[in-house]
Amino acid sequence: MIGRGQTGNTKLVKQINREGILHQLKERTGMSRADLAKLTELSRPCVSSLVDEMIQEGIIREVGVGESKGGRKPILLEYNFQAYGVVGAVFEGSTLQLAIADLKGEVLFQYKTLLSHQKDGQEAIEIVERGLAALLTQSGFNKSRLLGIGLGLPGITQRREGTVSYSPSTGWMGLPVQKEIEDRLGLPVIIDNDVNLMTLGEFHKGVGKSFSNLVYMYVGTGIGAGIVIDGQLYRGVREASGEIGYMTIGPIRNRAQGEYGAFENNYSVTAIREKAKLLLKSMEEDTSVIKQIVTQANQGIVEAQSLLDDIYKHWAYGIANIVSVMDPGLFILSGEMIHIGANGVQTIHQMLTELVPFVPQLKTASLGDHAGIIGAIHSVLEALPSTLNPEVKLKRRS
């Protein structure tokens, strides 16, 4: 921050000084203007002026009176995390989830809706608009208090261009998703890959909180991964990092441009369900296929155990490939993998000891279908101007 005796561009100085005050109030509550002046090394008139300005904006609020130290009792201040809200939205399979959170990332309101046509990109954009409208109506939250929306999409997202460059499961390829949603909602939008956002969710609030290097593997309609290196999400040159569904695991067949990769074609939920239908009886469409296979294997059904062993072995191959390159401290199993239970995790761990020299900790994801939402919310919070001036637009990170 810039304190006494320093000079600089007036607008920049003000922004940095605001940032210093807000930083102190985020760290601790119940501070007076005098406390802030001492900690920030700013003059008391400067602090008072900026505090009054931010009280008017709603970012800071007065919360009571402190003890006197010889003069008037000081008025205590706190950062108002409820002053504004951000939205997280994630497409996952045939559903769209939305949530409004405060500036601390705490979810306040949630909404979930089904997509009638997974491959219709235009309808999906419209359903975001309708979903947000429904969420605002149900919650009573004023749209003018929203600072932006983070949106998780399947496929390879190009955040600079605001498009999805590659997505076999949707009709979004090349579509200016970000601009269209911004135009419809009247809000700044940050788009990202859905698995990347799930990874951020577990990193910030889930089992990955104490790890600076981790890999998050998701098995659903497709297979993808999110990679965190030294506390930062790794994306790659073309933002295609983590597209592990294209690993050559299992039988390889000719594939057209835009189709799923070999790993996905053989060991995604869709592929596993087709195998299960051929081998097992009484498979329910609306119940987790992995949960059903595990249950039948535990009941001693030989075909189920054989299929489960094959699934574990090939999932372990994929994990071993990643671990041998990344050497992460934690490997998170998510999507349908959460249904394998402790025995399944131990089985895969044992397989890995025979495949790679060092096996990371293996844990199943803890946030369930909330991971993507939490990651989407944090993608917005990280991009917000630290001064939180409502007149300053959301920054899109490249």
Side-chain angles (χ1 to χ4, degrees), residues 37-86:
K38 183 177 180 180
L39 288 168
T40 60
E41 299 183 355
L42 297 170
S43 69
R44 290 197 181 192
C46 175
V47 168
S48 292
S49 175
L50 292 174
V51 164
D52 290 345
E53 180 180 280
M54 288 187 279
I55 287 174
Q56 290 296 314
E57 294 170 8
I59 302 171
I60 294 174
R61 58 188 174 192
E62 297 175 338
V63 291
V65 178
E67 295 182 4
S68 172
K69 296 179 181 178
R72 288 191 305 172
K73 291 184 177 181
I75 297 173
L76 302 181
L77 308 165
E78 73 173 10
Y79 185 98
N80 183 11
F81 289 100
Q82 286 76 44
Y84 300 99
V86 298

Side-chain angles (χ1 to χ4, degrees), residues 80-335:
N80 183 11
F81 289 100
Q82 286 76 44
Y84 300 99
V86 298
V87 177
V90 177
F91 285 95
E92 186 173 352
S94 60
T95 65
L96 169 67
Q97 295 185 75
L98 297 103
I100 296 174
D102 64 19
L103 298 177
K104 195 182 281 188
E106 299 297 329
V107 173
L108 305 175
F109 311 101
Q110 297 184 70
Y111 178 81
K112 188 174 184 177
T113 186
L114 291 175
L115 297 171
S116 57
H117 301 291
Q118 283 182 264
K119 293 184 179 294
D120 188 337
Q122 276 298 329
E123 181 171 349
I125 290 174
E126 291 169 7
I127 213 165
V128 173
E129 182 181 22
R130 294 197 299 269
L132 179 60
L135 178 60
L136 291 172
T137 298
Q138 289 181 9
S139 64
F141 200 93
N142 193 318
K143 184 178 177 181
S144 65
R145 292 172 57 205
L146 293 178
L147 298 178
I149 177 171
L151 178 61
L153 305 172
I156 302 172
T157 53
Q158 301 297 316
R159 294 177 305 150
R160 291 188 185 91
E161 292 77 20
T163 64
V164 179
S165 64
Y166 198 84
S167 178
S169 64
T170 72
W172 274 314
M173 287 192 271
L175 189 70
V177 177
Q178 180 177 297
K179 184 178 186 306
E180 290 205 21
I181 296 178
E182 285 184 335
D183 290 345
R184 284 180 179 273
L185 302 185
L187 288 171
V189 173
I190 291 178
I191 65 169
D192 208 336
N193 170 265
D194 52 353
V195 177
N196 280 346
L197 294 183
M198 294 174 198
T199 305
L200 285 176
E202 288 288 346
F203 175 71
H204 283 289
K205 298 283 188 178
V207 294
K209 282 192 296 185
S210 59
F211 293 85
S212 58
N213 292 275
L214 62 84
V215 175
Y216 175 100
M217 178 173 169
Y218 179 87
V219 176
T221 307
I223 299 178
I227 300 168
V228 174
I229 301 174
D230 293 336
Q232 298 294 318
L233 192 69
Y234 179 73
R235 301 178 184 279
V237 174
R238 296 172 183 82
E239 302 192 47
S241 174
E243 292 296 316
I244 63 171
Y246 298 96
M247 287 182 175
T248 52
I249 296 175
I252 301 170
R253 60 176 174 81
N254 292 331
R255 53 177 288 277
Q257 181 70 22
E259 290 186 350
Y260 287 109
F263 196 11
E264 294 167 314
N265 279 330
N266 292 300
Y267 292 98
S268 68
V269 170
T270 304
I272 292 169
R273 188 176 291 278
E274 291 305 310
K275 293 178 182 181
K277 285 179 181 178
L278 296 174
L279 296 172
L280 308 177
K281 298 177 181 178
S282 306
M283 293 298 296
E284 300 175 11
E285 287 291 333
D286 298 329
T287 304
S288 162
V289 64
I290 296 299
K291 185 182 292 186
Q292 293 180 76
I293 295 171
V294 169
T295 299
Q296 292 192 32
N298 290 338
Q299 292 170 348
I301 298 174
V302 175
E303 293 83 359
Q305 186 62 60
S306 177
L307 176 57
L308 191 60
D309 290 342
D310 182 66
I311 293 167
Y312 287 170
K313 179 176 71 174
H314 287 86
W315 282 353
Y317 288 166
I319 295 170
N321 288 343
I322 299 167
V323 167
S324 63
V325 175
M326 302 305 305
D327 186 27
L330 174 68
F331 203 103
I332 303 173
L333 311 178
S334 69

Side-chain angles (χ1 to χ4, degrees), residues 345-358:
V345 173
Q346 181 57 40
T347 298
I348 292 176
H349 188 279
Q350 182 58 41
M351 291 177 174
L352 289 172
T353 63
E354 300 169 6
L355 296 172
V356 293
F358 302 105

